[in-house]
Amino acid sequence: MSGHAGALAPYACDPARSRGRRHAEPPAPTRNDHQRDRDRIVHSTAFRRLVYKTQVFLNHEGDLFRTRLTHSLEVAQLGRSIARTLRLNEDLVEAIALAHDLGHTPFGHAGQDALDECLRGHGGFEHNLQSLRVVDRLEQRYPDFDGLNLTFETREGILKHCTRRRAEELDAREPGGVARRFLEGTQPSLEAQLVNVADEIAYSAHDIDDGVRSGLLTLEQLEAVPLVARYLAAARADHPRLAGRRLLFETIRRLLSQLVYDVIDHTGERLRQLAPVDADAARRAPPLVGFGEATRAEVVALKRFLFQALYRHPQVVAKTNAGRQVVRELYAAYLAAPSEMPADYAQAVDLPRAVADYIAGMTDRFALREHQRLTGRAVFADA
Ligand code: MG
């Protein structure tokens, strides 16, 4: 986890030129500010909960599927590896990657959708905004401030999407802060752009693995997806006797490497052409980190395949629908009886938002236990 002092490209975010923290703090003696952000994230409560939160498969369905934690580690690994080659700020990439999913609810996107419905007319719920809320407010571990007091650059990377209306609200509270770019139409740092691409690479590859592991996807189906078929054929050609899981791993390994090389090549080329003089010039440029055109089209096709064949698979949908129901019923139960929550939440001025914060922080299994305690019903017999 070493830094890169002196080796950063001019357009990288230099920790020495950070826009700083919302609450001023003396520098750490042995770490730069982005290394310190990363360490704060790793030590946070929300980070530890990621281990029991659903990525695609519900946490109790098997021990070998990705969870939000292992997904975040894979994003960090891919992002750091690309950052090192492009001479971007590896520590910042790592910090953003490890924090990028902190705001996810239990039961994956179904949980988010349920909370968003519950909070309709009350500002809604969105996991990116929640990730920022976790690091800005909900973590409570320091004597002088709420949240982790992360640097602007890490928070900028965490706030990946934002509607215009929400950006206006955030910008009113923090003028010129992390939401401003959504009003100005500029990009986040190259490091933030890189984490988004690393996220895409990670889930595209690991959802193939988890999909086959679960029995919901087959190698035959994957042969119809050009991006996968190519590396499957190459793996078979080089290792004619390879079959089963090892064949799948070898295919995914080649796919991952090629996607990483593609991002490095095309991003490197765009950076050479545009040569942004510094990190802010890169923010004002068009998006620079990404795949080449041909690969982008193939990745889009792979994602479309995963959407139809895996995320919309009746078995996955049935489980996530049940997760959605758990979240909805938990929300109703706490709203009706706030004292069932810890005092901090029960006594909050904005009760609906406090209920959402409490539920969003839960792991899958804690949500199921609470749901059973409050409703007397078990939603998953196998949990
Ligand atoms: Mg992610």
Side-chain angles (χ1 to χ4, degrees):
M1 297 196 184
S2 68
H4 260 260
L8 290 177
Y11 35 75
C13 283
D14 182 348
R17 299 175 63 189
S18 168
R19 283 175 60 180
R21 306 177 188 280
R22 297 200 296 168
H23 307 273
E25 293 183 68
T30 58
R31 296 168 295 166
N32 72 42
D33 275 332
H34 297 137
Q35 292 169 336
R36 196 181 200 186
D37 281 358
R38 173 204 57 211
D39 298 348
R40 286 182 176 190
I41 291 159
V42 168
H43 288 275
S44 70
T45 309
F47 184 73
R48 284 195 296 284
R49 289 183 176 136
L50 294 178
V51 71
Y52 296 116
K53 284 193 172 193
T54 289
Q55 182 70 19
V56 171
F57 293 91
L58 299 190
N59 183 238
H60 65 263
E61 292 187 88
D63 291 348
L64 295 179
F65 296 121
R66 267 69 178 186
T67 67
R68 292 261 167 226
L69 181 71
T70 55
H71 163 71
S72 300
L73 294 174
E74 289 182 31
V75 175
Q77 180 274 316
L78 292 164
R80 287 178 55 198
S81 168
I82 298 171
R84 207 176 304 134
T85 310
L86 294 173
R87 292 195 300 133
L88 295 176
N89 181 338
E90 194 178 329
D91 300 312
L92 176 58
V93 165
E94 187 179 19
I96 298 171
L98 294 179
H100 87 282
D101 273 352
L102 289 179
H104 268 288
T105 61
F107 314 117
H109 283 273
Q112 163 185 276
D113 295 346
L115 274 187
D116 190 42
E117 282 165 33
C118 293
L119 288 178
R120 195 146 293 162
H122 201 83
F125 182 92
E126 205 278 321
H127 71 87
N128 276 292
L129 286 161
Q130 191 68 11
S131 297
L132 190 64
R133 202 169 149 78
V134 166
V135 301
D136 280 355
R137 298 174 66 159
L138 299 179
E139 282 289 321
Q140 301 195 333
R141 22 195 338 115
Y142 296 94
D144 299 326
F145 46 77
D146 285 340
L148 303 178
N149 197 29
L150 302 180
T151 62
F152 172 88
E153 294 77 17
T154 302
R155 297 174 59 244
E156 170 193 38
I158 290 172
L159 189 61
K160 174 174 153 188
H161 301 295
C162 189
T163 61
R164 184 162 186 99
R165 215 186 89 207
R166 199 60 68 83
E168 281 164 359
E169 287 164 19
L170 287 174
D171 198 66
R173 262 184 277 152
E174 185 193 351
V178 289
R180 179 60 63 90
R181 73 180 177 88
F182 297 98
L183 304 174
E184 291 177 341
T186 54
Q187 304 305 317
S189 70
L190 296 173
E191 285 80 359
Q193 295 180 38
L194 173 50
V195 173
N196 293 343
V197 179
D199 187 21
E200 218 178 344
I201 296 176
Y203 70 69
S204 299
H206 68 47
D207 287 351
I208 296 174
D209 182 17
D210 283 355
V212 174
R213 184 183 302 283
S214 68
L216 301 185
L217 295 184
T218 61
L219 280 182
E220 291 68 44
Q221 272 178 299
L222 288 163
E223 271 172 303
V225 184
L227 188 59
V228 185
R230 189 180 325 133
Y231 301 111
L232 192 55
R236 278 184 173 134
D238 288 348
H239 307 280
R241 295 176 57 197
L242 207 57
R245 294 213 56 79
R246 282 213 204 189
L247 176 61
L248 181 67
F249 287 143
E250 179 59 17
T251 303
I252 293 174
R253 189 183 69 75
R254 288 169 186 240
L255 170 70
L256 268 178
S257 298
Q258 285 309 313
L259 291 180
V260 165
Y261 299 150
D262 189 86
V263 169
I264 290 170
D265 288 348
H266 285 87
T267 305
E269 184 53 33
R270 283 188 281 260
L271 286 167
R272 270 188 298 280
Q273 280 169 10
L274 254 104
V277 292
D278 58 18
D280 278 337
R283 288 182 173 97
R284 290 189 300 268
L288 290 169
V289 184
F291 302 109
E293 231 171 275
T295 303
R296 155 95 355 232
E298 288 189 323
V299 169
V300 168
L302 168 59
K303 284 163 69 169
R304 203 174 300 135
F305 164 78
L306 286 172
F307 190 82
Q308 285 160 359
L310 186 61
Y311 313 144
R312 289 273 152 247
H313 190 288
Q315 261 174 263
V316 173
V317 171
K319 303 265 179 161
T320 50
N321 280 344
R324 196 186 309 259
Q325 182 195 341
V326 168
V327 168
R328 226 184 277 131
E329 293 180 358
L330 275 178
Y331 182 84
Y334 291 128
L335 207 59
S339 63
E340 296 292 345
M341 297 187 294
D344 288 7
Y345 294 93
Q347 291 156 12
V349 181
D350 183 347
L351 186 61
R353 184 58 59 185
V355 172
D357 285 338
Y358 186 50
I359 296 173
M362 292 180 180
T363 61
D364 290 13
R365 57 188 198 168
F366 183 73
L368 290 174
R369 276 205 301 272
E370 278 292 278
H371 181 265
Q372 188 161 14
R373 181 178 75 82
L374 295 165
T375 67
R377 284 178 290 114
V379 174
F380 296 103
D382 55 343

